[in-house]
Amino acid sequence: MFSFDQFLGFILVMTVATIGFWLLIFLVGILPYWIGGSIKEIMDEKKAAKQEKK
């Protein structure tokens, strides 16, 4: 009914889909934190530079 090649293809597709799913979850969780931290750091540097001028 099913051949071993079909089984390997199914396993490959499921592996790629699972990796994609967990990568999406990781990026959704980490990316906003990373971008927010970068923006905060840039703003803090500008604030410190402005205070040094005064």
Side-chain angles (χ1 to χ4, degrees), residues 41-54:
E41 187 175 332
I42 289 169
M43 290 173 64
D44 287 346
E45 287 176 2
K46 286 183 180 180
K47 189 176 182 181
K50 188 185 271 188
Q51 285 181 353
E52 277 185 19
K53 274 188 172 182
K54 287 185 178 183

Side-chain angles (χ1 to χ4, degrees), residues 4 12 25 27 31 42 47:
F4 189 67
L12 180 66
I25 296 298
L27 291 177
L31 226 51
I42 289 169
K47 189 176 182 181

